[in-house]
Amino acid sequence: MEEAMKPAELRELAAEILNENDREGRYTIPTKGLYPFQWNWDSCLTALGWTYLDEDRAWREIETLFEHQWSDGMVPHIVFHEPDDGYFPGPEVWSTGRSVPTSGITQPPVAGFVLRRLYQRCADPEEIEERIEDLVDAVDRWHAWFFETRDPQGEGLVSIIHPWEAGRDNSIDWDEAFERVPTEGITDYVRRDTEHANSAHRPTKAQYDRYLWLVEHFRSLGWDNSKLHEASPFQVVDPGFNAILIRSCFDLAALAEELEMDDVAQRNYAWARRGLDALENLWSDPHRQYLCQDRTTGQLIESTSIGGLLAVFAPIRHIRAQAIAQRIEQISAECRFSIPSHDPADVRFDAKRYWRGPVWLIINYMINDGLEAADLEESSTKIVDDSLELIGSSGFAEYYDPKTGEACGGGRFTWTAAMVLEFLQDQ
Ligand code: GLC
């Protein structure tokens, strides 16, 4: 292994990557080639990194994303700012009919959390007050959209209707429910991702066919969100996704309170509290963690993934947070680097394939944040140390093999760089 890089060196490299992936000072692409547009949760988490380089640029990143919010409140998972045929499925497949094309599904709503953090760090809160009020309103409308369209029975938690919405595209969590998604009748297509990254690290063809079937099905319904949840054969309640939403509701509410936006504050506190109560239904005693739930059957899904541990990002009960800290220790003990995105004891674990085993720095960041908030620093220190060590030995990759530390997927990755800046903050 090479000699460890010094914090100053790491900072400089991280800044170089952000600048290299910056587009017109308005948004940041995740990485050249593989992901040439603006992605929703990448952008929000990347804004945290921008705060160390240029505060105004950090706000701009989020503003650009929200300029493409749909009139129903949805914030799409991709904004196709500039044409680029190196990515599939491109705008013509989504056909959402917008002047600047976007995809038609969403991604983990981490914006509320990020907004509050940006505000806490900002040099002159008064100067940006108007700017932030507009964003608070926009995020509030996004949250309302979730509870209206993705929780039709008012259960307190929302479903994802496409695996890409979870941001954990090919997680083992979706395998069983995915069996229900047909593949007949999809238009022929050519994948582009495997031209930029090793196909052994990417989702399989069978998974891609189903991703595409869902997109074409939703498109045939005119992307009408009042119909899509009901019409989807894939409806999964992901504890990680919901924890992000709950945390963002709490953070948005606290921020709104400071800005004297009382309606927004009350609404978001109410959603957050109801969500926290409902999250308890996803706890599994035998597995010592939260599990996903298949909403079409009501059953919990037997899959011990990182989604169930990411729940600690929300202010869950202390005994739950402690149990999660123990689970993390347990699954990380079998790896060189924490935290694997799936339990290595599961036969389906795959150390190099995307979300079926590899370590992702953004997940490490959110879990670390939750553990710190629960006063479980002892468990969180290893996560930060491992994260920085991975960068030192393998560079700023998209994700890493937890057993060997090998860099996988795309390189010079934006949100990895942003998370490094965050981790270095306390060093
Ligand atoms: C992959 C990831 C997703 C991310 C996107 C861009 O699709 O699974 O979480 O947002 O790449 O980095």
Side-chain angles (χ1 to χ4, degrees):
M1 203 170 281
E2 292 162 35
E3 203 190 322
M5 263 192 262
K6 304 232 160 41
E9 225 177 316
L10 284 174
R11 270 196 199 95
E12 205 175 302
L13 278 173
E16 197 180 287
I17 292 174
L18 255 58
N19 283 312
E20 174 179 305
N21 291 333
D22 178 26
R23 291 292 172 272
E24 303 159 12
R26 296 194 307 131
Y27 66 97
T28 323
I29 61 165
T31 186
K32 268 189 237 159
L34 189 59
Y35 300 120
F37 311 108
Q38 183 177 25
W39 262 259
N40 185 323
W41 74 323
D42 294 64
S43 254
C44 293
L45 292 164
T46 297
L48 294 171
W50 277 116
T51 56
Y52 301 104
L53 310 175
D54 178 347
E55 198 183 296
D56 179 70
R57 179 65 187 77
W59 291 106
R60 194 79 201 98
E61 184 80 26
I62 311 222
E63 282 166 344
T64 304
L65 177 68
F66 276 87
E67 276 162 19
H68 301 275
Q69 181 169 30
W70 286 20
S71 57
D72 67 359
M74 207 253 310
V75 185
H77 100 294
I78 306 174
V79 182
F80 299 102
H81 290 280
E82 296 291 335
D84 188 317
D85 58 14
Y87 177 84
F88 177 85
E92 62 299 333
V93 178
W94 294 94
S95 276
T96 53
R98 299 184 55 86
S99 53
V100 174
T102 72
S103 72
I105 55 173
T106 194
Q107 256 193 336
V110 73
F113 156 77
V114 170
L115 273 195
R116 185 175 181 208
R117 196 142 279 191
L118 253 52
Y119 188 69
Q120 285 165 338
R121 285 184 194 164
C122 89
D124 182 0
E126 263 173 42
E127 198 197 319
I128 54 138
E129 199 157 297
E130 213 171 291
R131 223 169 156 182
I132 184 139
E133 280 172 6
D134 288 347
L135 285 173
V136 167
D137 273 330
V139 177
D140 175 50
R141 283 197 291 121
W142 190 19
H143 291 175
W145 172 84
F146 270 114
F147 293 106
E148 247 165 61
T149 65
R150 298 306 183 78
D151 180 21
Q153 307 297 326
E155 295 169 40
L157 298 178
V158 301
S159 336
I160 52 157
I161 58 171
H162 193 298
W164 290 344
E165 291 198 312
R168 299 185 294 114
D169 302 15
N170 66 335
S171 167
I172 292 164
D173 292 347
W174 329 128
D175 289 3
E176 212 179 292
F178 228 25
E179 289 296 312
R180 213 173 295 124
V181 177
T183 55
E184 290 80 41
I186 51 166
T187 316
D188 282 346
Y189 65 93
V190 180
R191 281 173 72 166
R192 307 306 300 263
D193 57 322
T194 44
E195 291 167 16
H196 304 289
N198 185 340
S199 60
H201 300 177
R202 301 282 309 173
T204 62
K205 158 99 169 75
Q207 282 161 340
Y208 246 80
D209 286 354
R210 292 189 161 91
Y211 298 147
L212 261 297
W213 187 91
L214 286 173
V215 169
E216 293 187 1
H217 182 52
F218 299 151
R219 185 182 67 198
S220 75
L221 296 168
W223 298 109
D224 177 351
N225 274 302
S226 66
K227 297 188 185 141
L228 300 190
H229 182 277
E230 185 61 26
S232 180
F234 180 88
Q235 299 169 7
V236 175
V237 183
D238 169 11
F241 189 98
N242 277 280
I244 290 174
L245 178 58
I246 292 167
R247 173 71 184 268
S248 280
C249 284
F250 268 123
D251 283 347
L252 193 76
L255 179 56
E257 230 171 14
E258 265 189 71
L259 299 168
E260 295 176 8
M261 300 169 77
D262 294 339
D263 287 354
V264 176
Q266 274 168 29
R267 234 187 337 266
N268 279 273
Y269 275 133
W271 286 323
R273 292 196 182 107
R274 203 176 49 141
L276 264 191
D277 286 346
L279 201 59
E280 274 297 292
N281 300 327
L282 306 187
W283 177 260
S284 164
D285 264 331
H287 298 89
R288 308 294 302 145
Q289 68 165 83
Y290 295 89
L291 296 177
C292 286
Q293 181 191 36
D294 188 331
R295 198 166 244 174
T296 67
T297 62
Q299 301 295 312
L300 290 184
I301 298 171
E302 288 274 336
S303 169
T304 43
S305 81
I306 199 79
L309 306 177
L310 183 54
V312 77
F313 190 51
I316 50 174
R317 291 158 58 196
H318 195 65
I319 50 160
R320 297 280 183 251
Q322 278 172 317
I324 286 181
Q326 280 164 14
R327 270 294 284 157
I328 290 172
E329 240 169 75
Q330 192 190 348
I331 65 169
S332 299
E334 297 185 40
C335 298
R336 167 66 189 84
F337 297 96
S338 53
I339 310 168
S341 48
H342 199 85
D343 184 349
D346 186 331
V347 291
R348 297 167 294 182
F349 169 86
D350 187 341
K352 293 194 203 312
R353 205 181 281 276
Y354 220 29
W355 288 96
R356 300 173 81 87
V359 175
W360 291 72
L361 249 59
I362 45 141
I363 300 288
N364 281 8
Y365 172 77
M366 287 185 278
I367 288 184
N368 172 58
D369 184 274
L371 290 172
E372 276 183 354
D375 289 327
L376 293 163
E377 266 92 0
E378 218 172 286
S379 313
S380 76
T381 312
K382 175 166 167 30
I383 299 175
V384 178
D385 291 349
D386 281 6
S387 302
L388 291 174
E389 214 182 307
L390 270 175
I391 306 295
S393 59
S394 305
F396 292 76
E398 187 178 7
Y399 48 97
Y400 305 85
D401 179 329
K403 304 255 185 193
T404 63
E406 181 188 333
C408 300
R412 300 187 70 77
F413 220 86
T414 295
W415 65 7
T416 305
M419 295 302 97
V420 167
L421 292 172
E422 283 286 89
F423 285 135
L424 288 172
Q425 187 193 7
D426 305 322
Q427 304 267 314

